[in-house]
Amino acid sequence: RAKKAEKANAELQKTITEMGQKLGAAELKREGITLRQCQSHFEKNVSCASDVAKQALLHRVDEILKAIGIDTSHGAVTKKAIEDGVRATNPATRSEEKTRRYSIKRFFNLLSAPVSSDGLGLSNPAIMFKIGTGRDPQRERRDAGLITTLDPAELLANDRLPLYWKALIAILGYAGLRLKEAAAMEWDRLNVDGVMKVRPTDLYPKLKSFMSNRDIPPFPNLWDVMEEYRKVARHETLVFDREGDAGPTWFRDYLGVPDVADLSGALTDSIGAATGMKYTLKDGTTLNVKSHSRRKVKGVDTMFLQQMNGERITVPRTDVTWDRPQEPARRLRRFWETTMKEHGLGDLIDASGGHCKKDVGDPHYTDWEPVVRAAVKRVPYLDGTDKRKKKITPKKKRGGKPPGR
């Protein structure tokens, strides 16, 4: 048996050597090839629909390989190691976790392909690695009770929330905008005879889908907040500009795609600070915190918390967790969708919500602008009154250079 095993191993080594020679890497051996070498081969041979998609794929694969150990031998990688590697990257959502699992499975699938198909002919530790359950992540979350809404009225009544953030909350919850669409909104498109126009801009030249280019009849509650905010707005063009040296826009390039991750985090922090940030200590005690800071004290990462009652507490960072407000932008948009349905306007959600139907249907053939204009009279003021406002006009320029975008 030992001689047969030795002979089989010799034949295997011979095959691997011949394969390496064909690839221009005669030194390639099954025991020695590392994930770093495999990653280099993957980058050269993987194909994607676009450069942006390829960059995103390579980024996710790189994160997982670093978690597994970039210099680990390919032969030492197991299905459990891949599972642990994906989990160690801490994907923010179930959808992102599913995408990362797909990315790393694609990595090992290519490596296991024959040399004639741009692979390396290696074993595939991900052959039994499952990407997901096959169900829609949003449906799974809904079934688990994780899909919730956030009523803007609760936040707009909070005196501790600055007017800037109230305006953003109102436009998300009363018009159903996505966060990127709100960050790119310009004053001259905000209110055209009661209709909000979402269009590509220099900051956000490509919207999410062809249906995202749309007109919206927002709930009239929005105009009260926006008129008040317009009086103190800083920028002549952008509705939601960014203060400081990082401004005037929230958009940043991420893998070739405009992204507003900073705005998402700032919105979450602002809501948390206004409503009372919930911190949980190691012993289970819950604290309602007004403000917090973090710094090292004698080499220990320490949190300084000021509670809503004025009491201060200092604890090691590892002994406390912050229950952050979850997905406020998405929950506000869901409030708009839910309220539209409640008032019999569900037929307008696809048209004015920017949803793209997979099957060919009305969105492909219907001119929705007259439909949306007619709907402006049907959209109710949510407290039962009718307080529709006239067009909000941009401030007149007082000379000088035109504002940058």
Side-chain angles (χ1 to χ4, degrees):
R1 288 183 181 179
K3 289 182 179 181
K4 285 183 178 180
E6 186 178 350
K7 183 179 179 180
N9 187 54
E11 291 177 354
L12 178 61
Q13 293 298 330
K14 182 180 178 181
T15 303
I16 295 297
T17 302
E18 291 175 354
M19 178 187 67
Q21 290 172 344
K22 291 180 181 179
L23 293 172
E27 76 284 355
L28 185 64
K29 292 184 179 180
R30 191 181 192 87
E31 294 86 355
I33 186 170
T34 64
L35 292 181
R36 188 187 300 275
Q37 293 171 300
C38 293
Q39 183 183 23
S40 177
H41 178 83
F42 182 75
E43 291 176 0
K44 294 176 182 177
N45 292 278
V46 69
S47 59
C48 295
S50 65
D51 290 338
V52 173
K54 184 173 181 178
Q55 287 181 343
L57 172 66
L58 296 178
H59 174 73
R60 291 186 174 99
V61 168
D62 181 64
E63 290 294 314
I64 298 171
L65 293 182
K66 287 179 179 177
I68 296 174
I70 195 69
D71 293 316
T72 302
S73 168
H74 178 278
V77 178
T78 62
K79 175 176 172 288
K80 183 179 184 305
I82 301 173
E83 293 274 6
D84 294 342
V86 173
R87 196 176 297 111
T89 61
N90 296 319
T93 63
R94 290 287 302 278
S95 179
E96 174 61 21
E97 179 185 0
K98 194 171 182 178
T99 304
R100 294 188 188 187
R101 295 175 74 89
Y102 167 79
S103 300
I104 196 64
K105 188 175 181 73
R106 185 174 178 184
F107 171 79
F108 284 108
N109 284 348
L110 187 143
L111 297 178
S112 66
V115 176
S116 58
S117 298
D118 296 330
L120 294 178
L122 301 176
S123 61
N124 188 354
I127 193 169
M128 298 299 292
F129 179 73
K130 293 184 178 180
I131 295 174
T133 61
R135 298 186 65 197
D136 180 4
Q138 284 292 87
R139 181 172 296 177
E140 288 184 350
R141 298 183 70 228
R142 187 179 295 107
D143 292 345
L146 300 177
I147 302 293
T148 59
T149 62
L150 180 59
D151 190 342
E154 300 174 6
L155 297 173
L156 297 179
N158 193 318
D159 295 334
R160 291 190 294 271
L161 195 65
L163 184 55
Y164 177 94
W165 297 111
K166 286 186 177 182
L168 179 60
I169 288 167
I171 209 170
L172 296 174
Y174 290 147
L177 264 65
R178 299 182 178 92
L179 200 57
K180 288 185 182 180
E181 294 167 348
M185 179 55 65
E186 299 177 352
W187 286 110
D188 58 356
R189 294 174 178 169
L190 179 68
N191 184 358
V192 182
D193 298 326
V195 175
M196 185 181 300
K197 294 182 175 292
V198 178
R199 300 290 187 272
T201 66
D202 293 342
L203 295 174
Y204 193 27
K206 187 176 180 181
L207 302 181
K208 183 174 182 181
S209 71
F210 74 94
M211 281 293 291
S212 298
N213 190 331
R214 66 196 189 278
D215 296 340
I216 303 173
F219 293 110
N221 303 54
L222 174 67
W223 306 131
D224 295 335
V225 182
M226 297 310 297
E227 281 192 352
E228 185 179 358
Y229 169 62
R230 187 70 186 99
K231 298 173 184 177
V232 298
R234 301 179 294 253
H235 204 275
E236 292 289 343
T237 304
L238 289 175
V239 178
F240 299 105
D241 62 320
R242 185 177 186 177
E243 280 189 303
D245 296 336
T249 171
W250 289 97
F251 281 92
R252 293 294 179 269
D253 180 82
Y254 177 72
L255 298 177
V257 178
D259 189 73
V260 290
D262 292 348
L263 177 58
S264 177
L267 173 63
T268 300
D269 290 346
S270 297
I271 293 175
T275 58
M277 294 175 280
K278 302 293 191 299
Y279 278 86
T280 305
L281 300 180
K282 209 170 186 178
D283 60 4
T285 304
T286 301
L287 305 177
N288 203 14
V289 176
K290 179 180 180 181
S291 63
H292 61 181
S293 61
R294 176 179 174 181
R295 65 175 182 270
K296 286 193 174 183
V297 178
K298 296 181 179 180
V300 178
D301 199 5
T302 306
M303 295 293 296
F304 297 83
L305 310 175
Q306 182 178 4
Q307 300 184 66
M308 300 297 287
N309 60 11
E311 184 179 347
R312 297 175 183 271
I313 185 171
T314 302
V315 292
R317 175 66 184 87
T318 54
D319 291 351
V320 64
T321 56
W322 178 20
D323 302 327
R324 303 184 72 193
Q326 295 297 311
E327 301 181 325
R330 287 187 179 183
R331 291 167 61 209
L332 287 164
R333 179 173 160 85
R334 289 190 202 114
F335 170 85
W336 173 81
E337 292 184 351
T338 302
T339 309
M340 289 282 281
K341 292 178 180 178
E342 288 176 352
H343 289 86
L345 297 167
D347 58 318
L348 282 173
I349 290 180
D350 281 334
S352 55
H355 293 293
C356 180
K357 292 183 177 178
K358 294 181 180 179
D359 299 325
V360 176
D362 287 344
H364 293 266
Y365 302 113
T366 304
D367 179 8
W368 283 99
E369 184 173 355
V371 179
V372 171
R373 287 194 174 280
V376 171
K377 297 179 181 180
R378 295 163 53 200
V379 176
Y381 197 89
L382 297 185
D383 66 359
T385 62
D386 189 357
K387 300 181 180 179
R388 302 174 195 278
K389 300 295 180 179
K390 296 181 180 179
K391 176 180 177 180
I392 300 175
T393 56
K395 290 181 180 178
K396 292 184 178 180
K397 298 178 182 178
R398 300 180 179 178
K401 297 181 179 180
R405 292 193 175 187

